[in-house]
C-alpha cells in the first residue's frame, strides 16, 4: 500500500534566515556573496547562467519548486514543491586549466556525500560521475554548466536532493528520498546548509591548492562505489562498453579496464536495481 503524499503543512518552507545564520556560525558565510530562496522558477541553473555576466561570484539560488529542472543529458528533474532541495551555485575559477574543469561536479559530489552522511546520517556514496546513491538508489544528482569561458571561467553547479518524496512521487523506480531511506535528519534548511558548508570547504581547499587535483581525486575515489564494480557504459554514438571499473584517472575519467570513459551513462551491473 502506497503512502499518500504529505500535505504542504508537513513540508515547511526553507528558512532562509536560519540558513544564512548557520553559514555565518560555521565560518563560511563570507564564501557566499548571496544566498537567495525563491518560491518557484523554471530552473535555478538557467537563472544563474542568464545572470552570470553581471552577477557576483559565489551566488546561491534555491527554489522551493522548479518547473523546468534539468539533469544530465537534458533529462527533466521534477519534484512536488518543498519535497526536494533544488540548489544552484555560480562560481568562477581563475587560472584553472580547462582540462581540470571536469573535477568541479565531482568535487560537488564529494561535498554532497559528506553533507548527507554527517547531517542526514545516511550511508551515501557516489556513482560515477556524480550521482549520489543510498542503497543503490539515486537520492541526489548534480549538473555543472559553463556560463562563461575565458581565463576565469564561470560555472553554475546545480544540486538536486530528494528529501521527502514518497514512493509514489519518485520520478523513477531506482530513485529514493531521505525520508524513504530513514534519514536521521530531513529538515531541508539544515541539509541545504550542510551542502553549502561542505562545498565551500572543498572548493576553498581546491582553489588554495591552485586547482591541483591530487587530494580531491583521493577523496573522490574513497567515496565512489563504482570502482571495482562490473559496469555497462552507454557512450556517445551508441557504443556500449562493459567491464570492471578499475579506477578514475587524473582527468576524472572512469577507467573500464584500460579504457577511459569521459561521458556516458554508466550502470552498476550488480546494483540493487
Amino acid at each position: 500500500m502506497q503512502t499518500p503524499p504529505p500535505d504542504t503543512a508537513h513540508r515547511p518552507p526553507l528558512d532562509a534566515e536560519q540558513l544564512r545564520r548557520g553559514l555565518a556560525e560555521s565560518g563560511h558565510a563570507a564564501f557566499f556573496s548571496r544566498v537567495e530562496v525563491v518560491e518557484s522558477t523554471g530552473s535555478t541553473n538557467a537563472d544563474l547562467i542568464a545572470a552570470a555576466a553581471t552577477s557576483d561570484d559565489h551566488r546561491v539560488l534555491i527554489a522551493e519548486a522548479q518547473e523546468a529542472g534539468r539533469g544530465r543529458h537534458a533529462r527533466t528533474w521534477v519534484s512536488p514543491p518543498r519535497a526536494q532541495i533544488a540548489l544552484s551555485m555560480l562560481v568562477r575559477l581563475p587560472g584553472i586549466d580547462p582540462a581540470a574543469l571536469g573535477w568541479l561536479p565531482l568535487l560537488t559530489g564529494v561535498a554532497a556525500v559528506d553533507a548527507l552522511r554527517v547531517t542526514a546520517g545516511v550511508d551515501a556514496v557516489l556513482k560515477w560521475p556524480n550521482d549520489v546513491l543510498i542503497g543503490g538508489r539515486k537520492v541526489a544528482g548534480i549538473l555543472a554548466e559553463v556560463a562563461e569561458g575565458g581565463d576565469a571561467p564561470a560555472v553554475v553547479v546545480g544540486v538536486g536532493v530528494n528529501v521527502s518524496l514518497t514512493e509514489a512521487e519518485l520520478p523513477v523506480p531506482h530513485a529514493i528520498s531521505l525520508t524513504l531511506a530513514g534519514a536521521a535528519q530531513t529538515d531541508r534548511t539544515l541539509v541545504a546548509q550542510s551542502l553549502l558548508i561542505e562545498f565551500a570547504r572543498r572548493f576553498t581547499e581546491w582553489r588554495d591548492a591552485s586547482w591541483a587535483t591530487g587530494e580531491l581525486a583521493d577523496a573522490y575515489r574513497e567515496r565512489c562505489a563504482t570502482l571495482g564494480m562490473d559496469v555497462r557504459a552507454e557512450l556517445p554514438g551508441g557504443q556500449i562498453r562493459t567491464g570492471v571499473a578499475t579506477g578514475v584517472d587524473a582527468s576524472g575519467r572512469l577507467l573500464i579496464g584500460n579504457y577511459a570513459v569521459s561521458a556516458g551513462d554508466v550502470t552498476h551491473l550488480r546494483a540493487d536495481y
Side-chain angles (χ1 to χ4, degrees):
M1 180 176 178
Q2 292 180 329
T3 304
D7 58 41
T8 54
H10 294 93
R11 285 177 169 160
L14 280 159
D15 187 331
E17 288 306 316
Q18 180 185 341
L19 177 58
R20 297 184 189 104
R21 187 166 58 249
L23 292 175
E25 292 170 354
S26 75
H28 291 284
F31 180 86
F32 301 103
S33 62
R34 179 179 177 185
V35 178
E36 181 182 8
V37 178
V38 298
E39 190 62 33
S40 178
T41 190
S43 161
T44 54
N45 262 34
D47 288 352
L48 290 190
I49 289 172
T54 57
S55 182
D56 292 334
D57 196 5
H58 296 188
R59 177 181 171 185
V60 177
L61 178 63
I62 308 175
E64 298 284 25
Q66 289 190 112
E67 306 303 323
R70 306 190 312 280
R72 292 190 307 122
H73 308 301
R75 297 186 179 118
T76 57
W77 181 278
V78 296
S79 170
R82 302 180 182 176
Q84 182 187 76
I85 294 169
L87 176 157
S88 293
M89 299 169 283
L90 171 67
V91 294
R92 288 181 171 82
L93 301 89
I96 193 170
D97 182 341
L101 273 177
W103 277 101
L104 180 58
L106 276 62
L107 175 151
T108 309
V110 171
V113 163
D114 288 355
L116 295 183
R117 286 179 177 180
V118 171
T119 303
V122 293
D123 186 17
V125 296
L126 287 165
K127 179 171 83 72
W128 184 91
N130 45 38
D131 284 346
V132 182
L133 309 183
I134 300 173
R137 299 169 69 181
K138 182 175 176 178
V139 70
I142 293 160
L143 176 66
E145 300 177 280
V146 176
E148 292 180 347
D151 293 334
V155 183
V156 174
V157 186
V159 183
V161 183
N162 295 330
V163 178
S164 65
L165 279 77
T166 66
E167 289 282 359
E169 293 171 324
L170 294 174
V172 289
H174 56 266
I176 197 169
S177 67
L178 293 180
T179 295
L180 291 172
Q185 179 59 263
T186 58
D187 183 318
R188 292 184 307 128
T189 299
L190 295 180
V191 175
Q193 174 185 304
S194 185
L195 283 168
L196 292 175
I197 290 170
E198 291 295 335
F199 178 84
R201 184 174 66 82
R202 289 282 177 186
F203 187 92
T204 300
E205 290 175 353
W206 189 31
R207 182 195 61 201
D208 291 350
S210 300
W211 313 118
T213 59
E215 291 187 10
L216 173 56
D218 288 343
Y220 180 85
R221 294 183 185 110
E222 288 174 5
R223 293 156 179 79
C224 185
T226 303
L227 302 185
M229 295 282 285
D230 289 322
V231 299
R232 178 179 188 270
E234 299 179 24
L235 308 178
Q239 184 182 3
I240 303 293
R241 185 167 292 267
T242 60
V244 176
T246 56
V248 175
D249 71 10
S251 298
R253 298 178 300 177
L254 181 68
L255 300 176
I256 301 178
N258 294 319
Y259 184 87
V261 174
S262 59
D265 280 341
V266 171
T267 302
H268 292 178
L269 297 181
R270 298 198 304 271
D272 296 335
Y273 55 87

